[in-house]
Amino acid sequence: MERPAGHGLAITAAGREAQIVAVGLDGNIWHDVVRADGGLQGWRTPPGDGTPAMAARAVAGAASGESRILAIGTDGNAYHSLRRANGTWEPFRPVPVGPGGRAAFPAGTISAALHSGGSAQVLIGAR
């Protein structure tokens, strides 16, 4: 398996784990978990609807163990995914309703934070 060696990296604490998100040399998002005992999950790509190559990234974790991954695709639009505490994922998909009611959100920069209740605060700098 190709390892991310990337041009983008984000790390967050989610529950008792550290979660790492990187953009690999292949342009795709890669994810790994460092468990409390020091063990690693191993690098994997999040599931999605044909997850596009990504140009930037952000990851936010919550005490519940959930994490939200945000990225900017090479198409310039913002994408998101949720990794639940049990390790299952919601599909990677475009952030809906961009400026002016657009179907996708054109982004230049992106960052995120999760609240303990599970809601996400996302900051996207439009391009």
Side-chain angles (χ1 to χ4, degrees), residues 7-82:
H7 51 280
L9 178 69
I11 302 170
T12 192
R16 295 178 37 116
E17 301 174 333
Q19 297 195 28
I20 305 165
V21 174
V23 178
L25 292 177
D26 60 358
N28 291 312
I29 293 284
W30 290 83
H31 174 266
D32 201 355
V33 174
V34 181
R35 296 184 295 268
D37 66 5
L40 297 171
Q41 162 194 278
W43 290 103
R44 300 177 184 166
T45 55
D49 301 327
T51 304
M54 299 292 172
R57 79 290 159 264
V59 61
S64 66
E66 290 187 343
S67 62
R68 172 109 19 213
I69 297 174
L70 293 115
I72 300 170
T74 54
D75 62 359
N77 293 316
Y79 291 81
H80 69 102
S81 182
L82 174 72

